Amino acid sequence: MGLTSHALPEDCGGGGARSAVTQALMAEELACGDLALALAILSPLLLSLPLADYGSDAQKQRYLPGLAGPDFRPGALAVAEPRFDSDALRPRTRARPEGKGYVLDGVKCLVPWLEGVPCVGVVAQDEDGPQIFLVDAEAEGLRAEPAQYMGLRALPLVELQLESVRLPRSARLGEGAGSDVAAILARGRVGLAALATGVARAAFELARDYAKQRETFGAPIATRQSIAFLLADLATEIDGLRLLTWEAAWRLDRGEDARREAALASQQAQRVVLEAADGAVQIFGGHGYVREYLPELLLRNAGGFAGFEALTLV
Amino acid sequence: MGLTSHALPEDCGGGGARSAVTQALMAEELACGDLALALAILSPLLLSLPLADYGSDAQKQRYLPGLAGPDFRPGALAVAEPRFDSDALRPRTRARPEGKGYVLDGVKCLVPWLEGVPCVGVVAQDEDGPQIFLVDAEAEGLRAEPAQYMGLRALPLVELQLESVRLPRSARLGEGAGSDVAAILARGRVGLAALATGVARAAFELARDYAKQRETFGAPIATRQSIAFLLADLATEIDGLRLLTWEAAWRLDRGEDARREAALASQQAQRVVLEAADGAVQIFGGHGYVREYLPELLLRNAGGFAGFEALTLV
Amino acid sequence: MAIDFELSQETRAARDYYHRMASEKMRPLSRRYDEDEHEPPQEWIDYYWREGRKQAPSGGGGDGMVRGCVQAEELCWGDAGLYLTMPVGALGGAAVLAAGTREQQTRFLSAFGGDGPPIWGAMAITEASAGSDSAAIQCTARRDDRTGEWVINGTKIFCTAGRQASLHPGGFVVVWATLDRDAGRAGIKSFVVPAGTPGMKLVGLEEKLGIRASDTATLTFEDCRVPDDHLLGSAEIKQRARGSGDKGFRSAMATFDASRPIVAAMAIGVGRAALEHVKRRLEEEGVEIRYDAPPRELTAIERDVMEMEAELQSARLLCWRAAWMMNQRRPNSLEASMAKAKAGRAVTRITQKAVALLGPEGYSTRSLVEKWMRDAKINDIYEGTQQINQLIIARRILDYPSSMLR
Amino acid sequence: MAIDFELSQETRAARDYYHRMASEKMRPLSRRYDEDEHEPPQEWIDYYWREGRKQAPSGGGGDGMVRGCVQAEELCWGDAGLYLTMPVGALGGAAVLAAGTREQQTRFLSAFGGDGPPIWGAMAITEASAGSDSAAIQCTARRDDRTGEWVINGTKIFCTAGRQASLHPGGFVVVWATLDRDAGRAGIKSFVVPAGTPGMKLVGLEEKLGIRASDTATLTFEDCRVPDDHLLGSAEIKQRARGSGDKGFRSAMATFDASRPIVAAMAIGVGRAALEHVKRRLEEEGVEIRYDAPPRELTAIERDVMEMEAELQSARLLCWRAAWMMNQRRPNSLEASMAKAKAGRAVTRITQKAVALLGPEGYSTRSLVEKWMRDAKINDIYEGTQQINQLIIARRILDYPSSMLR
């Protein structure tokens, strides 16, 4: 559909119009529709962007044509680990050099795993620090177990068990040169901030429309300052978050180091998305608590942003 | 006036009715009147309570009669230090054993220093950890320099310079046995929480009365939900803070370790007092910003609680 | 004035008893009945009916409401959804106690102490277009002078335990209906509709964010007839005395004054479950909370945990104060709303923070933290939303009638 | 759609210029004029009038409002109180620009570019019983048909720079007064009252929490006469067309739309001063801010500083957006209020947090942090309180007229 391939270089079969700002806009729009669907649609970027940036020629040739082609081909990146202090830059998943390759051991979680995913980029610690390893979905020793979370129920997510997964040296992204995982994760944080903006906006718009239509004591609840000011604050916070996100993306597009901006945007994102979803549930009252309406779904999705890592990239 | 002597044991000339809960009630009431005045009136407790709890017989005989007597005799305790990471339990002020006594060096700040203060308890690090040293106001090497802060303008506060202040061994509170400074400071934290409750209540009451009387667009501003709900939240938070403070004081009266409760109460206190004072300024609008009305004074006083340490004890 | 935070010995015994029950009987079922949303938790119901309620410590009166709060906290620490499925009179029973005659109380409530099969009470007040605005009730009750019966017509939503109460013989639903829509609050009365009464029909069950073990029913009443003496209170509509004559409505509100501290305590139980879980996990990971470290040395987690603890304890003390005032028969509607407002918000934040602090682990259904976040949020909504409670507090502190502040 | 956060080269040059001015000319005077509250900061005024305004980079137009914001931020980073004492047209000048004819603009404003002694413009709108509620203005203007003059009577409070503007010949105060109290907003008009006009009297100066270098005056007008052509806009009262005909009032509001981004930028300058101070002190103490550490490893201080930075930058971007929209001549009243509301609140919190983070050091008058906390708070109050801006935002997003949401 072009949504995820237009950003790839032309020699990789893409549209050659790489722009983090554009990706952020797209991520917000899609997430404003539905976060799970957005993550599914955007999943090819999880592989294609790091490949485009850091992949060796052989790696690009092998994987990119599929990801940039006319058929939808999902991608997967395994960053988070199922523990209390999951730290993307210091993964406990290890890539131990052995003979002519690596042996990977560890557990990853919150990995999007759509039907037909060809391979997954696994962040693991090797002798150079955190690096990404391209592991075929069918590799021996790799087990993808469906996992359930509070939200994102419409997205197939798995916990990945890696037990002595043997890989050739050529499976390391960028091979000898490796990749800059911190920079990739900064792109993931901006992506999360954009997704959060979308979810927050969806919550705000639902709440605003409901507040105008729902009457108590003879007047729409939006005419009460407690509701109206909550909506005003949400609108302001969401706009502020969007601008922070755009600025971080814009810096990325200029080739600047945007780790600080990405960190600030994603910190704000966690707060704002939760406030917006919680606010929508509150404004919907009892109806906000039932699955017949969307706010409860938004709250369940919003509740995960503190644990999400790189579910899309910009 | 009895306010500060009734808590002392009868054999020290006091009323024998020691109760942290009563002290907390008193501190709240006085601080609701005026924080600076409250600190002045309660200052004898800064010396008399630690003396009653830890003082040697000789120390009690020397100092307590004056503090418990019919005339007001101020006290002073020097805990905070003028640096960014002032830490009461790890003071940089040192008490170095030398010969038959100690030599004190360091700087203390935010020390109440009323006319006629006989001596000051200085928290300094010695070979046993943090200890309190009773230093005569006239001691050689001790210099009290008036210091100005954002608030508390009506209270004489000084920065204490200690340069090679030589003290006999008998100047250490509790002498050989020493004192439990952490426990004394926990009493100070409960005291601060009670004072904060008083300041917050003053701000709330002013704001409530003003909101009922001030009209805009033809109605009292208290009839607008944004103002009314702010007042409702402040009332709730202040009651919650008061209960936390009372509970911590009640535990102290039962002889329990209340450091955790004191820490929680003082953490809440810092937040609530600032929210209440800021809320009062906000509700007073332009009048909240001028010195003709009290909210600005309350905000300046409230702003210091994060830096205050043991300005009264319970 | 004596300030004392000590629970009575009997209440402490009750706390230990309910804590064991929560830990041994409820927690093991938590995840299952969260997932099987519309399945009644039969083993829990049976246990409670056959053993749990009978072995509960009793006596040593005087602190009844505080003990009720302690019980609610412990059991909701176990599972808030399961707590709401307990075979008890619940809000229905509370309404009978608040507005019924002694004879009605005996007639409708004694079976809850009996040895038949388990039964439930429930309260049906909310309607699609009357949420916070109870005075807008459209459900009608008309007297059939021929038979002396009340004929009820209307639809009620969000009726907690409405399925159990309407289906199992012996239980009942207290339905709020108006005798005269033009009379506003004065015309609103409550009626005891026994389970199985023809015309009362369970037409739907909500699928919810949390407290999924508990059923939230939609009930319709179509020419549903109950005998004359199923009306709680008086049938008289005090004409033109809107401000003062609405006793039926007032007794509903009195029910809320009594139930709000309990709801606050329920919230606190859920929040405590999440907080304790976080603290235990931190301990397991070797992370210590240093309570007397200077603020500038704390880690973000230490400060978060301390804030969560302070918020929870502050809510708990507000809750106990409101309950203690009820025990003293003092008016407590201000304090009850403070407790409810504070607990609902504090616990919403505490559980959201708990999920965030634990990262992917907190978000996974492998632990119960994500469930507690979902369960907690109901406390900000039912029995008066956050906003309604703020309104009540504001009116009290400003001394404004409801006409001045809406 | 092009999204670009790059400031133009000229604006960056202006930023550097004003930053140097702030750092070299304002900061050294900050504490002194905070303490000597009613002493005009003569050396600063003279410097600005004789050199500062003349050497300012100019040209490269198109981003005027953004540049105004950048200038305000830099100078208020220097000192917000001193910024408000600058000899400029300020809100008085803005009112003349917004509602005056071209001839009036030339007549009243050209002296600000001249070489006489320094002069000031000011705006007098607030009254004791008309704060947020500008339409309740009681100050009257009556036409003397004999002389063709306007005769103004009333008292104005909270008039920023009102002393300087009313005393120094060449300057002026724009006074808002009603031609007809019964006409509501439609009757409200603005008048240019030159400094020294008989009948205009400085009767008081406020002692304030912060921005003490700036004078906040109470001015009385007793039969104060100004010529016919000192009225800005038309004298006509559009009868009975309250919703639409209040152009005089509207131009006041338009002034606020234009001034709010500037006020937001001023707030941001103060907040940045405090934040930079905290960061520098932390650096001096060897405390590092690790931006890409996982949240669970952050210290409380690191998280606080990151939050402060994010809040400040978010406010700054909202401010620039509102300014950029003005440059594009797009309606920006929603965005201007968002910027003002966000900046006022963010900076209030940032400066309070800065004081708290630094403990006794932050509370002491030895550093400027405590002053910045006092200065910052005005931004939550003047030019529309937090509440007024929330109201404006809410009306816009809900598409409600003011009658629906008060």
Side-chain angles (χ1 to χ4, degrees), chain B residues 81-100:
Chain B
E81 300 185 346
R83 52 196 175 89
F84 128 86
D85 54 350
S86 177
D87 179 352
L89 290 178
R90 272 170 293 175
R92 290 209 193 145
T93 299
R94 302 272 153 191
R96 188 163 36 87
E98 201 186 270
K100 291 192 171 165

Side-chain angles (χ1 to χ4, degrees), chain A residues 84 87 90 208 212 223 225 229 233 237 239-240 243 247 250 254 260 263-264 267-268 271, chain D residues 4 6 291 294 296-297 303 306-307 309-311 313-314 317 321 338 342 390 397-398 405-406:
Chain A
F84 128 86
D87 179 352
R90 272 169 294 176
R208 177 197 59 199
K212 289 189 71 166
T223 62
Q225 280 193 345
F229 283 22
D233 288 348
E237 292 298 313
D239 278 10
L243 290 166
E247 194 198 16
W250 170 77
R254 285 159 53 107
R260 172 177 163 272
L264 299 185
Q267 191 195 43
Q268 286 289 91
R271 177 179 65 77
Chain D
D4 193 343
E6 178 89 337
Y291 290 96
R296 284 166 290 284
E297 289 215 348
R303 198 176 58 193
M306 286 175 65
E307 252 170 45
E309 287 189 50
E311 289 288 305
Q313 183 63 4
S314 166
L317 295 174
R321 177 179 69 165
M338 280 183 167
K342 174 76 182 179
Q390 284 174 307
I397 60 176
L398 291 164
L405 185 64
R406 288 181 189 281

